[in-house]
Amino acid sequence: QVQLVESGGGLVQPGGSLRLSCAASGIIFSAYAMGWYRQGPGKQRELVARMSSGGVTNYADSVKGRFTISRDNAKNTVYLQMNSLKPEDTSVYYCYADGRFSYWGQGTQVTVSS
C-alpha cells in the first residue's frame, strides 16, 4: 500500500505563508524524487517544485525565490514552504513521488485571498 498524505493547505492572505507537508509510506522514500504540482481552475497541472533523490531541485519560474522544497528522509516527508503568496498561487496542490513507479497524493486546496 503506497500512500501520500498531505497537510497544511488552507486560506491565507496575499503576502502570507503556508507550509505544505506530504508524508509517504509504502515506498523506499530516499530512492524517490519528490515534487509538488498544482492545478488551478481551467488550467493544466503544472510542476511547482521538485527534488531528486540526490537533492537536486527545480522550480517553476513563477515561484522561484518564494517557494522552497525540502525533504526529511528520516521522516519520509517532503515539504513545500510557500512565502509571499499571491492570488495567482490559488490552486489545488498535489504531492508527487517518482521512482520505479509514480504516485500522487489526494491534493490539498490552497487559497490566497483578502
Side-chain angles (χ1 to χ4, degrees):
Q1 182 183 1
V2 176
Q3 200 168 12
L4 304 178
V5 181
E6 297 158 303
S7 61
L11 174 65
V12 66
Q13 293 186 339
S17 297
L18 285 173
R19 189 193 194 209
L20 305 183
S21 299
C22 173
S25 60
I27 62 171
I28 304 174
F29 183 83
S30 61
Y32 275 70
M34 300 297 299
W36 293 92
Y37 285 71
R38 66 187 181 188
Q39 186 170 22
K43 296 182 177 181
Q44 293 190 15
R45 189 172 297 186
E46 65 175 352
L47 175 69
V48 177
R50 182 182 187 272
M51 180 177 284
S52 75
S53 60
V56 178
T57 59
N58 296 96
Y59 295 94
D61 287 342
S62 59
V63 308
K64 285 181 180 176
R66 300 188 297 121
F67 290 11
T68 303
I69 188 170
S70 61
R71 63 192 294 164
D72 187 340
N73 288 345
K75 296 182 178 179
N76 286 5
T77 301
V78 63
Y79 306 94
L80 185 67
Q81 179 66 47
M82 304 185 292
N83 298 326
S84 302
L85 282 161
K86 305 174 180 179
E88 307 94 272
D89 297 317
T90 295
S91 189
V92 178
Y93 284 72
Y94 298 88
C95 181
Y96 178 71
D98 185 20
R100 176 63 180 86
F101 301 100
S102 297
Y103 305 95
W104 292 93
Q106 75 283 2
T108 185
Q109 178 69 46
V110 172
T111 302
V112 185
S113 177
S114 60

